[in-house]
Amino acid sequence: MAGIVCRTASRIISSQASCSSVVAVRHSHWFTSVLSVKTSMPLRAEPKKKKKVDPRREIMMKERLKKKLKRLEKVPPELIPIEDFITPAKCFDETRIRDAPKLSFEESERRALLLKEWSRYKYSQHQTEMDTIKEALEAQRQALDELKLESEELYKAALSPDTDLFPFQHEGPSYTPPITNHEAPEGKYNDITRVYTQ
Amino acid sequence: MAAPLSRLCRPLWRITTTGTLNKGVRNVSSSRQQNVKTAGVASPWALHGAVCLQRLPVVSQDRSPIEEEFMELMHQMELERSLLSDHELRLLEDAARMSRKQEEDYDSDEEEEDYRDKEIVTAQDLEDIWEQKLKLFQPAPRSQGVDEKDMGSSERCLADSLILLVKKDVGSQKLWLLPQIQWQTGETLRQTAERALASLPGADIKATFLGNAPCGFYKYKYPKHIQKEGSVGAKVFFFKAVLPSHKHLPLEKNLFAWVKKEELQDFLKPEYLKQVRRFIMAL
Protein backbone atom coordinates (compact mmCIF):
# COMPACT_ATOMS: atom_id res chain seq x y z
CA MET A 1 0.00 0.00 0.00
CA ALA A 2 2.78 2.38 0.99
CA GLY A 3 4.83 1.37 -2.04
CA ILE A 4 1.93 2.08 -4.40
CA VAL A 5 1.42 5.46 -2.80
CA CYS A 6 5.12 6.15 -3.25
CA ARG A 7 5.10 5.28 -6.93
CA THR A 8 2.01 7.33 -7.68
CA ALA A 9 3.45 10.23 -5.73
CA SER A 10 6.71 10.05 -7.67
CA ARG A 11 4.82 9.93 -11.02
CA ILE A 12 2.75 12.92 -10.07
CA ILE A 13 5.85 14.82 -8.98
CA SER A 14 7.67 14.02 -12.19
CA SER A 15 4.67 15.04 -14.29
CA GLN A 16 4.33 18.22 -12.39
CA ALA A 17 8.05 18.90 -12.76
CA SER A 18 7.94 18.21 -16.50
CA CYS A 19 5.00 20.43 -17.28
CA SER A 20 6.12 23.42 -15.32
CA SER A 21 8.92 24.57 -13.13
CA VAL A 22 8.68 24.68 -9.46
CA VAL A 23 5.12 25.34 -8.58
CA ALA A 24 4.41 26.82 -5.30
CA VAL A 25 0.78 25.59 -5.28
CA ARG A 26 0.18 22.41 -3.41
CA HIS A 27 -1.57 19.86 -5.57
CA SER A 28 -2.08 17.54 -2.74
CA HIS A 29 -1.51 17.50 0.98
CA TRP A 30 0.98 14.73 0.63
CA PHE A 31 3.58 17.04 -0.90
CA THR A 32 4.46 19.98 1.27
CA SER A 33 6.87 21.30 -1.33
CA VAL A 34 8.68 19.90 -4.32
CA LEU A 35 11.98 21.16 -3.11
CA SER A 36 11.76 19.80 0.35
CA VAL A 37 13.18 16.52 1.35
CA LYS A 38 11.08 13.78 -0.04
CA THR A 39 10.33 11.10 2.34
CA SER A 40 8.79 7.89 1.29
CA MET A 41 5.88 8.24 3.62
CA PRO A 42 4.47 11.46 4.96
CA LEU A 43 5.98 11.51 8.41
CA ARG A 44 3.05 13.35 9.84
CA ALA A 45 0.99 10.18 9.43
CA GLU A 46 -2.36 11.84 9.21
CA PRO A 47 -5.04 9.15 9.12
CA LYS A 48 -6.95 8.69 5.87
CA LYS A 49 -9.84 11.07 5.71
CA LYS A 50 -11.49 8.77 3.21
CA LYS A 51 -12.50 6.47 5.99
CA LYS A 52 -15.07 8.92 7.30
CA VAL A 53 -16.25 10.44 4.10
CA ASP A 54 -16.78 7.21 2.20
CA PRO A 55 -19.01 5.49 4.74
CA ARG A 56 -21.04 8.67 4.94
CA ARG A 57 -21.28 8.78 1.17
CA GLU A 58 -22.31 5.13 1.03
CA ILE A 59 -24.96 5.66 3.67
CA MET A 60 -26.32 8.65 1.76
CA MET A 61 -26.45 6.63 -1.46
CA LYS A 62 -28.35 3.82 0.26
CA GLU A 63 -30.87 6.22 1.73
CA ARG A 64 -31.47 7.83 -1.63
CA LEU A 65 -32.03 4.42 -3.23
CA LYS A 66 -34.41 3.42 -0.46
CA LYS A 67 -36.42 6.60 -0.91
CA LYS A 68 -36.66 5.98 -4.63
CA LEU A 69 -37.79 2.41 -4.01
CA LYS A 70 -40.45 3.59 -1.56
CA ARG A 71 -41.76 6.08 -4.07
CA LEU A 72 -41.94 3.36 -6.71
CA GLU A 73 -43.63 0.91 -4.37
CA LYS A 74 -46.30 3.42 -3.33
CA VAL A 75 -47.63 3.47 -6.86
CA PRO A 76 -50.47 0.86 -7.07
CA PRO A 77 -49.64 -2.01 -9.42
CA GLU A 78 -51.17 -1.87 -12.86
CA LEU A 79 -54.11 -4.23 -13.12
CA ILE A 80 -53.81 -7.14 -15.54
CA PRO A 81 -56.35 -6.50 -18.31
CA ILE A 82 -59.01 -9.16 -18.84
CA GLU A 83 -58.82 -10.01 -22.52
CA ASP A 84 -62.49 -11.04 -22.74
CA PHE A 85 -63.81 -7.69 -21.56
CA ILE A 86 -61.95 -5.66 -24.17
CA THR A 87 -63.78 -5.61 -27.49
CA PRO A 88 -61.17 -5.95 -30.22
CA ALA A 89 -60.87 -2.99 -32.58
CA LYS A 90 -61.92 -5.21 -35.49
CA CYS A 91 -65.51 -5.26 -34.25
CA PHE A 92 -65.88 -1.50 -34.67
CA ASP A 93 -64.85 -1.62 -38.30
CA GLU A 94 -67.72 -0.28 -40.37
CA THR A 95 -66.91 -2.25 -43.48
CA ARG A 96 -67.81 -5.41 -41.62
CA ILE A 97 -71.47 -4.67 -41.03
CA ARG A 98 -73.69 -7.16 -42.79
CA ASP A 99 -76.74 -5.98 -44.72
CA ALA A 100 -79.70 -6.87 -42.54
CA PRO A 101 -82.18 -8.91 -44.59
CA LYS A 102 -85.77 -7.79 -44.56
CA LEU A 103 -87.96 -10.54 -43.15
CA SER A 104 -91.37 -11.09 -44.61
CA PHE A 105 -94.38 -11.09 -42.33
CA GLU A 106 -94.77 -14.87 -42.64
CA GLU A 107 -91.15 -15.44 -41.78
CA SER A 108 -91.27 -13.32 -38.65
CA GLU A 109 -94.53 -15.01 -37.61
CA ARG A 110 -93.00 -18.44 -38.13
CA ARG A 111 -90.01 -17.48 -36.02
CA ALA A 112 -92.13 -16.16 -33.16
CA LEU A 113 -94.31 -19.27 -33.15
CA LEU A 114 -91.29 -21.55 -33.26
CA LEU A 115 -89.70 -19.80 -30.29
CA LYS A 116 -92.89 -20.27 -28.27
CA GLU A 117 -93.10 -23.91 -29.29
CA TRP A 118 -89.50 -24.37 -28.24
CA SER A 119 -90.07 -22.87 -24.80
CA ARG A 120 -93.01 -25.22 -24.27
CA TYR A 121 -90.94 -28.21 -25.39
CA LYS A 122 -88.05 -27.27 -23.13
CA TYR A 123 -90.39 -26.78 -20.18
CA SER A 124 -91.92 -30.23 -20.59
CA GLN A 125 -88.43 -31.73 -20.96
CA HIS A 126 -87.33 -30.05 -17.74
CA GLN A 127 -90.42 -31.31 -15.92
CA THR A 128 -89.80 -34.91 -16.99
CA GLU A 129 -86.14 -34.62 -15.93
CA MET A 130 -87.10 -33.29 -12.52
CA ASP A 131 -89.69 -36.03 -12.10
CA THR A 132 -87.22 -38.81 -12.97
CA ILE A 133 -84.68 -37.40 -10.53
CA LYS A 134 -87.29 -37.15 -7.77
CA GLU A 135 -88.40 -40.70 -8.42
CA ALA A 136 -84.85 -42.03 -8.26
CA LEU A 137 -84.16 -40.15 -5.01
CA GLU A 138 -87.37 -41.47 -3.49
CA ALA A 139 -86.44 -45.03 -4.46
CA GLN A 140 -83.06 -44.58 -2.82
CA ARG A 141 -84.57 -43.17 0.35
CA GLN A 142 -86.98 -46.07 0.64
CA ALA A 143 -84.16 -48.55 0.03
CA LEU A 144 -82.15 -46.98 2.84
CA ASP A 145 -85.18 -47.14 5.16
CA GLU A 146 -85.60 -50.84 4.44
CA LEU A 147 -81.91 -51.42 5.01
CA LYS A 148 -82.17 -49.68 8.36
CA LEU A 149 -84.95 -52.04 9.33
CA GLU A 150 -82.75 -54.95 8.38
CA SER A 151 -79.50 -54.17 10.15
CA GLU A 152 -77.85 -51.10 11.59
CA GLU A 153 -74.33 -52.09 10.52
CA LEU A 154 -75.19 -52.41 6.88
CA TYR A 155 -77.11 -49.15 7.07
CA LYS A 156 -74.11 -47.33 8.50
CA ALA A 157 -71.84 -48.88 5.89
CA ALA A 158 -74.22 -47.70 3.18
CA LEU A 159 -74.25 -44.16 4.53
CA SER A 160 -70.46 -43.86 4.75
CA PRO A 161 -68.94 -41.78 1.93
CA ASP A 162 -67.15 -43.49 -0.93
CA THR A 163 -63.61 -42.13 -1.17
CA ASP A 164 -62.62 -44.00 -4.32
CA LEU A 165 -65.36 -42.54 -6.44
CA PHE A 166 -63.91 -39.06 -6.99
CA PRO A 167 -62.18 -37.89 -9.13
CA PHE A 168 -64.61 -39.54 -11.52
CA GLN A 169 -63.86 -39.51 -15.23
CA HIS A 170 -66.02 -40.58 -18.13
CA GLU A 171 -65.93 -39.61 -21.80
CA GLY A 172 -69.29 -38.29 -22.81
CA PRO A 173 -71.16 -39.00 -26.06
CA SER A 174 -69.67 -37.60 -29.25
CA TYR A 175 -71.27 -37.27 -32.67
CA THR A 176 -69.51 -40.35 -34.12
CA PRO A 177 -68.24 -43.31 -32.09
CA PRO A 178 -64.47 -43.56 -31.51
CA ILE A 179 -62.51 -45.42 -34.20
CA THR A 180 -60.64 -48.45 -32.86
CA ASN A 181 -56.85 -48.20 -33.11
CA HIS A 182 -56.96 -44.72 -34.54
CA GLU A 183 -53.71 -42.74 -34.61
CA ALA A 184 -54.42 -39.06 -34.45
CA PRO A 185 -51.92 -36.94 -36.43
CA GLU A 186 -49.66 -34.69 -34.40
CA GLY A 187 -50.77 -31.12 -34.59
CA LYS A 188 -48.43 -28.15 -34.54
CA TYR A 189 -49.61 -24.97 -32.91
CA ASN A 190 -48.19 -21.60 -31.98
CA ASP A 191 -49.25 -20.54 -28.53
CA ILE A 192 -49.90 -16.80 -28.70
CA THR A 193 -51.45 -16.32 -25.26
CA ARG A 194 -50.25 -13.12 -23.62
CA VAL A 195 -48.70 -13.60 -20.19
CA TYR A 196 -48.78 -10.63 -17.83
CA THR A 197 -46.54 -10.17 -14.83
CA GLN A 198 -47.07 -7.67 -12.09
CA MET B 1 -100.42 -26.60 34.99
CA ALA B 2 -99.21 -27.73 31.60
CA ALA B 3 -97.56 -30.91 32.78
CA PRO B 4 -100.48 -32.61 34.48
CA LEU B 5 -102.70 -31.59 31.56
CA SER B 6 -100.40 -33.35 29.11
CA ARG B 7 -100.38 -36.42 31.28
CA LEU B 8 -104.15 -36.47 31.10
CA CYS B 9 -104.15 -35.83 27.38
CA ARG B 10 -101.84 -38.68 26.46
CA PRO B 11 -104.05 -41.60 27.44
CA LEU B 12 -107.02 -39.89 25.72
CA TRP B 13 -105.00 -39.57 22.55
CA ARG B 14 -104.04 -43.22 22.63
CA ILE B 15 -107.64 -44.32 23.01
CA THR B 16 -108.71 -42.32 20.00
CA THR B 17 -105.89 -43.66 17.85
CA THR B 18 -106.43 -47.26 18.79
CA GLY B 19 -110.08 -46.84 17.97
CA THR B 20 -109.68 -45.33 14.51
CA LEU B 21 -106.24 -46.16 13.14
CA ASN B 22 -105.90 -49.84 13.80
CA LYS B 23 -103.55 -50.46 10.91
CA GLY B 24 -101.22 -47.69 11.95
CA VAL B 25 -100.90 -49.03 15.45
CA ARG B 26 -100.28 -52.52 14.15
CA ASN B 27 -97.52 -51.31 11.89
CA VAL B 28 -95.88 -49.43 14.70
CA SER B 29 -95.96 -52.48 16.90
CA SER B 30 -94.62 -54.78 14.17
CA SER B 31 -91.69 -52.47 13.41
CA ARG B 32 -90.92 -52.35 17.13
CA GLN B 33 -90.95 -56.13 17.18
CA GLN B 34 -88.67 -56.23 14.17
CA ASN B 35 -86.25 -53.83 15.82
CA VAL B 36 -86.16 -56.10 18.83
CA LYS B 37 -85.57 -59.00 16.48
CA THR B 38 -82.53 -57.46 14.76
CA ALA B 39 -80.94 -57.04 18.14
CA GLY B 40 -81.04 -60.71 18.92
CA VAL B 41 -82.70 -62.83 16.20
CA ALA B 42 -81.90 -62.74 12.46
CA SER B 43 -84.59 -61.12 10.31
CA PRO B 44 -86.79 -63.39 8.23
CA TRP B 45 -85.74 -61.67 5.01
CA ALA B 46 -82.76 -63.06 3.14
CA LEU B 47 -80.55 -60.29 1.83
CA HIS B 48 -79.34 -60.15 -1.73
CA GLY B 49 -77.11 -57.63 -3.44
CA ALA B 50 -77.72 -56.82 -7.10
CA VAL B 51 -75.91 -54.62 -9.57
CA CYS B 52 -77.52 -52.35 -12.16
CA LEU B 53 -74.70 -52.14 -14.70
CA GLN B 54 -75.15 -49.34 -17.22
CA ARG B 55 -73.37 -48.81 -20.49
CA LEU B 56 -73.74 -45.06 -20.95
CA PRO B 57 -74.39 -43.65 -24.43
CA VAL B 58 -71.39 -43.42 -26.75
CA VAL B 59 -73.00 -41.32 -29.46
CA SER B 60 -75.26 -38.28 -29.19
CA GLN B 61 -78.99 -38.76 -29.68
CA ASP B 62 -80.70 -37.84 -32.94
CA ARG B 63 -82.54 -34.56 -32.85
CA SER B 64 -86.33 -34.49 -32.77
CA PRO B 65 -88.04 -32.47 -35.55
CA ILE B 66 -88.63 -29.42 -33.37
CA GLU B 67 -85.02 -29.49 -32.24
CA GLU B 68 -83.87 -29.58 -35.88
CA GLU B 69 -86.08 -26.62 -36.78
CA PHE B 70 -84.92 -24.64 -33.80
CA MET B 71 -81.27 -25.38 -34.51
CA GLU B 72 -81.65 -24.08 -38.07
CA LEU B 73 -83.43 -20.96 -36.85
CA MET B 74 -80.66 -20.29 -34.33
CA HIS B 75 -77.96 -20.67 -36.98
CA GLN B 76 -79.81 -18.28 -39.28
CA MET B 77 -80.36 -15.66 -36.59
CA GLU B 78 -76.73 -15.82 -35.49
CA LEU B 79 -75.59 -15.37 -39.06
CA GLU B 80 -77.85 -12.35 -39.54
CA ARG B 81 -76.68 -10.63 -36.38
CA SER B 82 -72.96 -11.27 -36.89
CA LEU B 83 -70.24 -9.14 -38.46
CA LEU B 84 -68.35 -10.16 -41.57
CA SER B 85 -65.28 -12.23 -40.82
CA ASP B 86 -61.84 -11.84 -42.44
CA HIS B 87 -62.50 -14.78 -44.72
CA GLU B 88 -65.80 -13.35 -45.92
CA LEU B 89 -64.26 -9.94 -46.57
CA ARG B 90 -61.60 -11.63 -48.62
CA LEU B 91 -64.26 -13.48 -50.62
CA LEU B 92 -66.05 -10.20 -51.35
CA GLU B 93 -62.83 -8.49 -52.43
CA ASP B 94 -61.95 -11.33 -54.75
CA ALA B 95 -65.42 -11.26 -56.29
CA ALA B 96 -65.18 -7.48 -56.79
CA ARG B 97 -61.74 -7.81 -58.39
CA MET B 98 -62.95 -10.53 -60.75
CA SER B 99 -65.89 -8.40 -61.84
CA ARG B 100 -63.56 -5.46 -62.41
CA LYS B 101 -61.29 -7.61 -64.58
CA GLN B 102 -64.24 -8.73 -66.68
CA GLU B 103 -65.19 -5.15 -67.55
CA GLU B 104 -64.12 -3.79 -70.89
CA ASP B 105 -62.41 -0.68 -69.61
CA TYR B 106 -60.19 -2.60 -67.24
CA ASP B 107 -57.00 -0.87 -66.40
CA SER B 108 -54.60 -3.15 -64.60
CA ASP B 109 -52.59 -0.22 -63.33
CA GLU B 110 -55.47 0.90 -61.17
CA GLU B 111 -55.18 -2.25 -59.13
CA GLU B 112 -53.13 -2.27 -56.00
CA GLU B 113 -49.55 -3.36 -56.37
CA ASP B 114 -49.97 -6.74 -54.77
CA TYR B 115 -52.68 -7.87 -57.10
CA ARG B 116 -51.43 -6.82 -60.49
CA ASP B 117 -49.91 -9.60 -62.45
CA LYS B 118 -49.16 -12.22 -59.82
CA GLU B 119 -51.13 -15.39 -59.44
CA ILE B 120 -53.39 -15.06 -56.45
CA VAL B 121 -54.76 -17.77 -54.23
CA THR B 122 -58.35 -16.67 -53.87
CA ALA B 123 -60.38 -17.40 -50.79
CA GLN B 124 -62.53 -19.75 -52.83
CA ASP B 125 -59.46 -21.81 -53.70
CA LEU B 126 -58.60 -22.02 -50.02
CA GLU B 127 -62.09 -23.27 -49.25
CA ASP B 128 -61.76 -25.98 -51.86
CA ILE B 129 -58.39 -27.04 -50.45
CA TRP B 130 -59.85 -27.29 -46.97
CA GLU B 131 -62.77 -29.38 -48.18
CA GLN B 132 -60.43 -31.78 -49.90
CA LYS B 133 -58.48 -32.20 -46.68
CA LEU B 134 -61.66 -32.89 -44.73
CA LYS B 135 -62.66 -35.65 -47.11
CA LEU B 136 -59.43 -37.50 -46.34
CA PHE B 137 -60.70 -38.24 -42.81
CA GLN B 138 -63.36 -40.91 -42.50
CA PRO B 139 -65.21 -40.89 -39.20
CA ALA B 140 -66.77 -44.10 -37.87
CA PRO B 141 -70.45 -44.52 -38.78
CA ARG B 142 -72.93 -43.61 -36.09
CA SER B 143 -74.91 -46.85 -36.10
CA GLN B 144 -71.82 -49.12 -36.05
CA GLY B 145 -73.50 -51.69 -38.26
CA VAL B 146 -74.52 -54.01 -35.40
CA ASP B 147 -77.97 -55.51 -35.62
CA GLU B 148 -80.28 -53.58 -33.34
CA LYS B 149 -82.11 -56.71 -32.25
CA ASP B 150 -78.98 -58.51 -31.16
CA MET B 151 -79.45 -58.17 -27.43
CA GLY B 152 -76.19 -59.81 -26.55
CA SER B 153 -73.90 -57.19 -28.01
CA SER B 154 -73.05 -54.10 -26.01
CA GLU B 155 -72.54 -52.17 -29.24
CA ARG B 156 -76.29 -51.92 -29.90
CA CYS B 157 -78.10 -48.57 -29.73
CA LEU B 158 -75.05 -46.37 -29.13
CA ALA B 159 -77.23 -43.35 -28.47
CA ASP B 160 -78.99 -44.85 -25.42
CA SER B 161 -77.83 -46.19 -22.11
CA LEU B 162 -78.12 -49.97 -21.80
CA ILE B 163 -78.68 -52.15 -18.71
CA LEU B 164 -77.23 -55.63 -18.30
CA LEU B 165 -79.75 -58.41 -17.62
CA VAL B 166 -79.02 -62.02 -16.73
CA LYS B 167 -81.19 -65.08 -17.12
CA LYS B 168 -81.30 -66.95 -13.86
CA ASP B 169 -83.05 -69.95 -12.30
CA VAL B 170 -85.27 -68.77 -9.48
CA GLY B 171 -87.08 -71.64 -7.90
CA SER B 172 -88.59 -73.50 -10.81
CA GLN B 173 -88.65 -70.66 -13.35
CA LYS B 174 -86.01 -69.08 -15.51
CA LEU B 175 -86.27 -65.34 -15.13
CA TRP B 176 -84.49 -62.34 -16.55
CA LEU B 177 -83.03 -60.38 -13.63
CA LEU B 178 -80.39 -57.85 -12.80
CA PRO B 179 -77.34 -59.85 -11.67
CA GLN B 180 -77.79 -60.61 -7.96
CA ILE B 181 -76.18 -62.82 -5.35
CA GLN B 182 -76.88 -63.70 -1.72
CA TRP B 183 -75.35 -61.63 1.02
CA GLN B 184 -72.79 -63.25 3.31
CA THR B 185 -72.09 -62.17 6.87
CA GLY B 186 -69.08 -59.97 7.25
CA GLU B 187 -69.36 -57.99 4.05
CA THR B 188 -71.19 -54.82 3.15
CA LEU B 189 -73.97 -54.93 0.58
CA ARG B 190 -71.81 -53.06 -1.90
CA GLN B 191 -69.25 -55.85 -1.69
CA THR B 192 -72.07 -58.29 -2.36
CA ALA B 193 -72.97 -56.36 -5.48
CA GLU B 194 -69.33 -56.36 -6.60
CA ARG B 195 -69.22 -60.08 -6.06
CA ALA B 196 -72.38 -60.45 -8.11
CA LEU B 197 -70.70 -58.63 -10.97
CA ALA B 198 -67.52 -60.66 -10.69
CA SER B 199 -69.39 -63.95 -10.54
CA LEU B 200 -70.86 -63.46 -14.01
CA PRO B 201 -69.42 -66.02 -16.37
CA GLY B 202 -67.70 -63.80 -18.86
CA ALA B 203 -64.93 -61.32 -19.26
CA ASP B 204 -63.75 -59.48 -16.15
CA ILE B 205 -65.95 -56.46 -16.23
CA LYS B 206 -64.35 -53.52 -14.46
CA ALA B 207 -67.14 -51.17 -13.53
CA THR B 208 -67.21 -48.09 -11.30
CA PHE B 209 -69.77 -48.37 -8.52
CA LEU B 210 -71.50 -45.09 -7.81
CA GLY B 211 -71.39 -44.82 -4.04
CA ASN B 212 -71.98 -47.07 -1.07
CA ALA B 213 -75.72 -46.55 -0.80
CA PRO B 214 -78.24 -48.73 -2.64
CA CYS B 215 -80.32 -47.02 -5.29
CA GLY B 216 -83.41 -49.20 -4.96
CA PHE B 217 -84.77 -52.37 -3.42
CA TYR B 218 -87.24 -55.11 -4.21
CA LYS B 219 -88.70 -57.53 -1.72
CA TYR B 220 -90.60 -60.64 -2.49
CA LYS B 221 -91.99 -63.50 -0.45
CA TYR B 222 -91.08 -67.07 -1.13
CA PRO B 223 -93.94 -69.33 -2.25
CA LYS B 224 -95.53 -70.98 0.76
CA HIS B 225 -94.02 -74.41 0.37
CA ILE B 226 -90.53 -72.95 0.60
CA GLN B 227 -91.24 -70.66 3.51
CA LYS B 228 -89.70 -72.04 6.66
CA GLU B 229 -89.53 -70.61 10.11
CA GLY B 230 -87.32 -67.64 9.91
CA SER B 231 -87.32 -67.09 6.14
CA VAL B 232 -90.27 -65.26 4.75
CA GLY B 233 -88.78 -63.95 1.61
CA ALA B 234 -85.87 -62.02 0.20
CA LYS B 235 -84.91 -58.39 -0.11
CA VAL B 236 -82.78 -57.39 -3.05
CA PHE B 237 -80.82 -54.14 -2.85
CA PHE B 238 -79.67 -52.65 -6.14
CA PHE B 239 -76.42 -50.78 -6.63
CA LYS B 240 -75.61 -48.64 -9.64
CA ALA B 241 -72.44 -49.20 -11.62
CA VAL B 242 -71.14 -47.60 -14.77
CA LEU B 243 -69.03 -49.21 -17.47
CA PRO B 244 -65.82 -47.38 -18.38
CA SER B 245 -65.88 -45.54 -21.70
CA HIS B 246 -66.08 -47.91 -24.62
CA LYS B 247 -64.65 -51.33 -24.12
CA HIS B 248 -65.78 -54.41 -25.94
CA LEU B 249 -67.28 -57.07 -23.72
CA PRO B 250 -67.70 -60.50 -25.22
CA LEU B 251 -70.56 -62.17 -23.35
CA GLU B 252 -72.72 -65.17 -24.18
CA LYS B 253 -75.93 -64.33 -25.94
CA ASN B 254 -78.53 -66.54 -24.40
CA LEU B 255 -77.73 -65.71 -20.83
CA PHE B 256 -77.04 -61.97 -21.13
CA ALA B 257 -78.90 -59.07 -22.62
CA TRP B 258 -78.11 -55.39 -22.99
CA VAL B 259 -81.44 -53.68 -22.81
CA LYS B 260 -82.76 -50.13 -23.12
CA LYS B 261 -85.21 -48.77 -20.56
CA GLU B 262 -88.13 -49.05 -23.01
CA GLU B 263 -87.37 -52.71 -23.71
CA LEU B 264 -87.21 -53.69 -20.04
CA GLN B 265 -90.91 -54.52 -19.97
CA ASP B 266 -90.32 -57.38 -22.44
CA PHE B 267 -87.87 -59.02 -20.09
CA LEU B 268 -88.81 -58.38 -16.49
CA LYS B 269 -91.76 -59.41 -14.38
CA PRO B 270 -94.28 -56.60 -13.74
CA GLU B 271 -93.69 -56.17 -9.99
CA TYR B 272 -89.92 -56.35 -10.38
CA LEU B 273 -90.06 -53.98 -13.31
CA LYS B 274 -92.07 -51.45 -11.32
CA GLN B 275 -89.34 -51.13 -8.70
CA VAL B 276 -86.46 -51.25 -11.13
CA ARG B 277 -87.85 -48.57 -13.43
CA ARG B 278 -87.82 -46.03 -10.62
CA PHE B 279 -84.05 -45.68 -10.41
CA ILE B 280 -83.06 -46.25 -14.03
CA MET B 281 -82.85 -42.84 -15.64
CA ALA B 282 -82.99 -42.77 -19.40
CA LEU B 283 -82.47 -39.07 -19.97
Side-chain angles (χ1 to χ4, degrees), chain B residues 144-275:
Chain B
Q144 276 287 335
V146 175
D147 184 21
E148 294 293 310
K149 309 269 172 140
D150 178 21
M151 298 289 170
S153 125
S154 70
E155 311 292 317
R156 297 180 66 207
C157 315
L158 286 174
D160 303 299
S161 53
L162 300 178
I163 314 277
L164 180 66
L165 291 182
V166 171
K167 206 166 192 182
K168 215 178 164 185
D169 298 331
V170 172
S172 52
Q173 300 168 315
K174 276 203 171 182
L175 293 176
W176 281 104
L177 298 172
L178 294 178
Q180 72 184 50
I181 210 167
Q182 183 129 14
W183 170 74
Q184 289 167 352
T185 44
E187 62 176 6
T188 59
L189 276 171
R190 178 178 158 161
Q191 285 164 357
T192 322
E194 283 166 0
R195 222 166 29 97
L197 191 58
S199 69
L200 293 173
D204 288 323
I205 306 165
K206 285 171 197 171
T208 331
F209 276 81
L210 304 174
N212 285 329
C215 57
F217 85 103
Y218 173 65
K219 71 180 179 196
Y220 62 98
K221 288 189 180 172
Y222 296 139
K224 288 201 176 168
H225 57 271
I226 299 180
Q227 269 187 27
K228 308 166 204 169
E229 295 175 5
S231 72
V232 175
K235 276 190 187 172
V236 189
F237 288 94
F238 300 99
F239 287 80
K240 265 197 184 171
V242 161
L243 268 184
S245 7
H246 207 72
K247 276 184 189 171
H248 292 276
L249 295 165
L251 294 170
E252 293 176 34
K253 271 190 209 178
N254 292 327
L255 298 173
F256 296 93
W258 290 99
V259 166
K260 287 193 280 193
K261 186 173 177 180
E262 298 91 48
E263 295 164 356
L264 276 177
Q265 60 207 21
D266 301 328
F267 285 77
L268 303 177
K269 294 266 163 177
E271 281 299 314
Y272 191 74
L273 174 71
K274 199 174 145 192
Q275 292 295 326

Side-chain angles (χ1 to χ4, degrees), chain B:
Chain B
M1 269 307 283
L5 260 178
S6 62
R7 263 183 235 158
L8 282 173
C9 285
R10 251 185 255 151
L12 278 172
W13 191 70
R14 257 189 219 154
I15 290 162
T16 48
T17 46
T18 45
T20 50
L21 301 163
N22 277 315
K23 284 184 189 171
V25 169
R26 251 185 246 151
N27 274 347
V28 163
S29 61
S30 67
S31 67
R32 273 196 214 147
Q33 278 173 17
Q34 266 191 335
N35 279 332
V36 166
K37 269 186 195 167
T38 49
V41 184
S43 65
W45 300 95
L47 290 178
H48 293 259
V51 61
C52 168
L53 185 63
Q54 266 187 321
R55 193 229 53 199
L56 296 174
V58 177
V59 159
S60 58
Q61 283 181 332
D62 287 324
R63 282 179 281 266
S64 60
I66 185 173
E67 281 176 352
E68 281 279 1
E69 269 188 61
F70 189 72
M71 187 182 81
E72 278 175 30
L73 174 64
M74 279 292 109
H75 283 328
Q76 225 179 344
M77 284 172 77
E78 271 185 33
L79 191 65
E80 283 165 15
R81 293 178 189 185
S82 66
L83 295 172
L84 294 167
S85 65
D86 291 339
H87 184 76
E88 285 188 311
L89 280 179
R90 204 172 151 180
L91 275 171
L92 287 173
E93 275 175 22
D94 290 344
R97 208 183 310 122
M98 292 302 287
S99 62
R100 256 182 285 145
K101 268 193 187 170
Q102 251 85 53
E103 279 171 31
E104 288 178 345
D105 54 346
Y106 173 67
D107 194 1
S108 66
D109 295 333
E110 281 179 3
E111 286 280 351
E112 290 176 8
E113 272 214 29
D114 298 333
Y115 300 110
R116 249 177 232 170
D117 292 314
K118 298 174 198 170
E119 292 215 14
I120 314 145
V121 182
T122 55
Q124 194 62 46
D125 295 337
L126 279 176
E127 274 189 12
D128 294 332
I129 293 167
W130 295 333
E131 250 195 78
Q132 288 298 314
K133 263 196 183 175
L134 180 62
K135 281 183 188 168
L136 292 173
F137 172 69
Q138 292 295 332
R142 266 164 73 88
S143 63
Q144 276 287 335
V146 175
D147 184 21
E148 294 293 310
K149 309 269 172 140
D150 178 21
M151 298 289 170
S153 125
S154 70
E155 311 292 317
R156 297 180 66 207
C157 315
L158 286 174
D160 303 299
S161 53
L162 300 178
I163 314 277
L164 180 66
L165 291 182
V166 171
K167 206 166 192 182
K168 215 178 164 185
D169 298 331
V170 172
S172 52
Q173 300 168 315
K174 276 203 171 182
L175 293 176
W176 281 104
L177 298 172
L178 294 178
Q180 72 184 50
I181 210 167
Q182 183 129 14
W183 170 74
Q184 289 167 352
T185 44
E187 62 176 6
T188 59
L189 276 171
R190 178 178 158 161
Q191 285 164 357
T192 322
E194 283 166 0
R195 222 166 29 97
L197 191 58
S199 69
L200 293 173
D204 288 323
I205 306 165
K206 285 171 197 171
T208 331
F209 276 81
L210 304 174
N212 285 329
C215 57
F217 85 103
Y218 173 65
K219 71 180 179 196
Y220 62 98
K221 288 189 180 172
Y222 296 139
K224 288 201 176 168
H225 57 271
I226 299 180
Q227 269 187 27
K228 308 166 204 169
E229 295 175 5
S231 72
V232 175
K235 276 190 187 172
V236 189
F237 288 94
F238 300 99
F239 287 80
K240 265 197 184 171
V242 161
L243 268 184
S245 7
H246 207 72
K247 276 184 189 171
H248 292 276
L249 295 165
L251 294 170
E252 293 176 34
K253 271 190 209 178
N254 292 327
L255 298 173
F256 296 93
W258 290 99
V259 166
K260 287 193 280 193
K261 186 173 177 180
E262 298 91 48
E263 295 164 356
L264 276 177
Q265 60 207 21
D266 301 328
F267 285 77
L268 303 177
K269 294 266 163 177
E271 281 299 314
Y272 191 74
L273 174 71
K274 199 174 145 192
Q275 292 295 326
V276 165
R277 275 175 79 109
R278 293 176 79 196
F279 57 80
I280 292 177
M281 295 195 273
L283 291 169

